[in-house]
Amino acid sequence: MAISCGLLAIFLYYRLSTVDNQLISFTEENYLKIIYLLTERHNGNEVSTNQLAEHTQTKAASVSDMLRKLAEKNYINYRKYQGVTLTEAGEQIALSVIRKHRLWEVFLVEKLGFGWDEIHDIAEQLEHIDSKELTKRLDDFLENPKFDPHGDPIPDAKGKMPSVSYQKLSEIPLNQSVVMMGVSVHSPAFLQHLDKQQITLGCDLKVLEISDFDKSYGLLLNNDIRLFVSNEVARNLLVQVQNS
Amino acid sequence: MAISCGLLAIFLYYRLSTVDNQLISFTEENYLKIIYLLTERHNGNEVSTNQLAEHTQTKAASVSDMLRKLAEKNYINYRKYQGVTLTEAGEQIALSVIRKHRLWEVFLVEKLGFGWDEIHDIAEQLEHIDSKELTKRLDDFLENPKFDPHGDPIPDAKGKMPSVSYQKLSEIPLNQSVVMMGVSVHSPAFLQHLDKQQITLGCDLKVLEISDFDKSYGLLLNNDIRLFVSNEVARNLLVQVQNS
DNA sequence: ATATATTTTTAGACTAATCTAAAATTTTGT
DNA sequence: ACAAAATTTTAGATTAGTCTAAAAATATAT
């Protein structure tokens, strides 16, 4: 019986974001989020048009257009042909979207029982839901998690990202005990591959050897099980030395 | 670190709906939902262009355009100048959106502790999240509720709406004990007004008198408290005679 | 060091959804 | 029953976000 639905018309393109009350579309939020994540991955270096085209699944021409627009709105620092970084305003929006994405992922796994390989596409939708109060209550309902089901840190309500110091398993010396803390690839195929070998967040790992034959990693899992994983897998497992 | 975000670009305008795998936009979903609710309110009679313009908060000209489009896609029966009704296909989409809307409303109230006056706008956003699996798991998580926090029935996964037989309190004879089952207006102002008088879903009501002076209703609440509510309130309270 | 290859931007076009203004149709009131 | 009023549709324009093709800028390789 509830009818009052009008807002959604406007909402489709633009809505008054709860971040600083700026008008911002889903699409713009997405670009800012992707710029944030790629910048982080490149240690703060500028992100290129082609990289953005790849990750937004659009063409470079479309990206150029959008960058001009985001620069006009002062969400990004844009030097033509040189790539972009986020401004403070752009970063706050990106962090707000990432916060919502990761909180919803926790919800999907912890409350609804989804696997960590099933949640990405749903969280991609939920991350754009615009309600500060909802985000706050969801955060409390989930008991203020600091990490999502992939081990990624969740920014707080003020946009502060917990600092983490993960290393790739491939960079850990032989026989060093480490704890599995995250993954740097989120593809369902990769995550399911880990599931099959019972490699989960929080498990103990030790590299016993690197095979001369195929550079695969011989591991000891939870001080118990011996297994081999490919170099590719070892490079995408994020770990931390115990008690540090 | 999760980057794979591309789908959203396409998703913005169109996505493959889980209902029969048809391409459908947020906007189209909204029109279908509103047509369903208005048709229901008018006991199955056709809905007019102007009514739709009012409820979508657009102009009649925009509605005409959209109706042409929805008719082309066989979601509605459209006779120019005569109004519209939903086809079976259109009704299934509308029911799917309404199901999600009402399930999310239950979530917001039961799990996150929102008041029934605070949830409409958030549910308007959440109703468009597209994942059959999510809806199914949410439904189970909420223990398969049959009614939302306003007393509106929740269609099942197959699009079957529970039938309800509510009457307006204003149509109930004097001294007939009834149970409060729903509201026919969802405005925060109305819902907060009820809160202040402790009129909640499930409470017992009996009309003791209708004032000659201002046509207000003298009620007995929970066989205990006497209070007066306006005619306007009485017309928007949906009740049911006990044990029927 | 400069020609070639790659990347990025610009120009021009398209679609979805909206708008205003004007034309067409239906309804209403006497 | 028919003129006036109200409603609905059509015509033409606008904006966001995308595209392709071509031009401009930068990077690379001998």
Side-chain angles (χ1 to χ4, degrees), chain A residues 92-106:
Chain A
Q92 283 311 304
I93 293 169
L95 284 164
S96 153
V97 174
I98 291 167
R99 171 171 165 77
K100 287 183 282 179
H101 182 103
R102 294 180 179 171
L103 284 174
W104 281 114
E105 287 198 336
V106 174

Side-chain angles (χ1 to χ4, degrees), chain A residues 164-203:
Chain A
V164 294
S165 54
Y166 300 156
Q167 292 172 274
K168 299 176 183 178
L169 182 64
S170 55
E171 291 170 347
I172 299 291
L174 291 187
N175 297 308
Q176 167 71 65
S177 270
V178 295
V179 180
M180 153 77 167
M181 299 300 287
V183 289
S184 50
V185 160
H186 295 67
S187 74
F190 178 57
L191 298 172
Q192 287 160 18
H193 184 66
L194 298 183
D195 281 342
K196 282 179 196 149
Q197 290 160 291
Q198 308 193 56
I199 300 172
T200 59
L201 238 53
C203 71

Side-chain angles (χ1 to χ4, degrees), chain A residues 203-241:
Chain A
C203 71
D204 289 312
L205 291 173
K206 189 187 283 183
V207 180
L208 299 179
E209 59 175 314
I210 301 178
S211 163
D212 286 338
F213 174 65
D214 61 0
K215 306 296 173 206
S216 66
Y217 283 63
L219 306 180
L220 184 64
L221 172 63
N222 290 326
N223 298 307
D224 180 24
I225 301 163
R226 290 203 51 164
L227 70 160
F228 278 90
V229 299
S230 68
N231 189 282
E232 174 86 2
V233 167
R235 274 184 288 116
N236 289 308
L237 287 176
L238 300 175
V239 302
Q240 216 168 42
V241 176

Side-chain angles (χ1 to χ4, degrees), chain A residues 29-240:
Chain A
E29 283 192 348
N30 256 306
Y31 272 90
L32 295 175
K33 176 189 68 175
I34 294 170
I35 294 168
Y36 181 95
L37 294 169
L38 286 174
T39 307
E40 186 183 55
R41 182 186 283 187
H42 302 351
N43 304 307
N45 287 327
E46 285 172 324
V47 178
S48 75
T49 301
N50 263 355
Q51 284 169 346
L52 287 172
E54 184 186 325
H55 289 285
T56 54
Q57 302 210 340
T58 62
K59 297 303 162 74
S62 311
V63 172
S64 277
D65 251 22
M66 182 55 83
L67 294 182
R68 194 182 32 66
K69 193 168 121 190
L70 292 172
E72 248 166 42
K73 296 191 175 187
N74 289 310
Y75 295 145
I76 60 173
N77 306 115
Y78 177 35
R79 296 185 303 135
K80 279 186 190 172
Y81 296 98
Q82 306 302 309
V84 296
T85 57
L86 293 175
T87 61
E88 181 58 29
E91 183 167 298
Q92 283 311 304
I93 293 169
L95 284 164
S96 153
V97 174
I98 291 167
R99 171 171 165 77
K100 287 183 282 179
H101 182 103
R102 294 180 179 171
L103 284 174
W104 281 114
E105 287 198 336
V106 174
F107 171 74
L108 293 171
V109 168
E110 296 299 318
K111 300 295 182 179
L112 298 194
F114 277 100
W116 64 346
D117 58 313
E118 302 174 305
I119 56 183
H120 187 78
D121 292 348
I122 302 174
E124 288 282 286
Q125 299 179 56
L126 288 164
E127 73 190 3
H128 300 289
I129 301 295
D130 183 37
S131 164
K132 248 184 182 157
E133 183 65 20
L134 172 61
T135 308
K136 184 187 164 302
R137 284 180 187 253
L138 180 64
D139 188 34
D140 288 343
F141 181 59
L142 300 172
E143 299 175 277
N144 315 108
K146 296 287 168 278
F147 301 92
D148 78 13
H150 307 111
D152 294 318
I154 301 174
D156 70 17
K158 297 196 170 95
K160 180 146 185 60
M161 181 75 92
S163 70
V164 294
S165 54
Y166 300 156
Q167 292 172 274
K168 299 176 183 178
L169 182 64
S170 55
E171 291 170 347
I172 299 291
L174 291 187
N175 297 308
Q176 167 71 65
S177 270
V178 295
V179 180
M180 153 77 167
M181 299 300 287
V183 289
S184 50
V185 160
H186 295 67
S187 74
F190 178 57
L191 298 172
Q192 287 160 18
H193 184 66
L194 298 183
D195 281 342
K196 282 179 196 149
Q197 290 160 291
Q198 308 193 56
I199 300 172
T200 59
L201 238 53
C203 71
D204 289 312
L205 291 173
K206 189 187 283 183
V207 180
L208 299 179
E209 59 175 314
I210 301 178
S211 163
D212 286 338
F213 174 65
D214 61 0
K215 306 296 173 206
S216 66
Y217 283 63
L219 306 180
L220 184 64
L221 172 63
N222 290 326
N223 298 307
D224 180 24
I225 301 163
R226 290 203 51 164
L227 70 160
F228 278 90
V229 299
S230 68
N231 189 282
E232 174 86 2
V233 167
R235 274 184 288 116
N236 289 308
L237 287 176
L238 300 175
V239 302
Q240 216 168 42

Side-chain angles (χ1 to χ4, degrees), chain B residues 24 27-41 44-48 52 66-67 70-71 73-79 82-98 159 161:
Chain B
I24 184 149
T27 310
E28 290 169 327
E29 284 191 349
N30 256 308
Y31 272 90
L32 295 176
K33 176 189 69 177
I34 294 169
I35 293 167
Y36 181 94
L37 294 169
L38 286 174
T39 307
E40 186 183 55
R41 181 186 285 185
N45 287 327
E46 286 174 323
V47 177
S48 75
L52 287 172
M66 181 57 81
L67 293 182
L70 291 173
K73 296 190 176 187
N74 289 311
Y75 294 145
I76 60 173
N77 306 116
Y78 177 35
R79 296 185 303 137
Q82 306 302 310
V84 297
T85 56
L86 293 176
T87 61
E88 181 58 28
E91 183 166 299
Q92 281 311 305
I93 293 169
L95 284 164
S96 153
V97 174
I98 290 166
M161 182 76 91

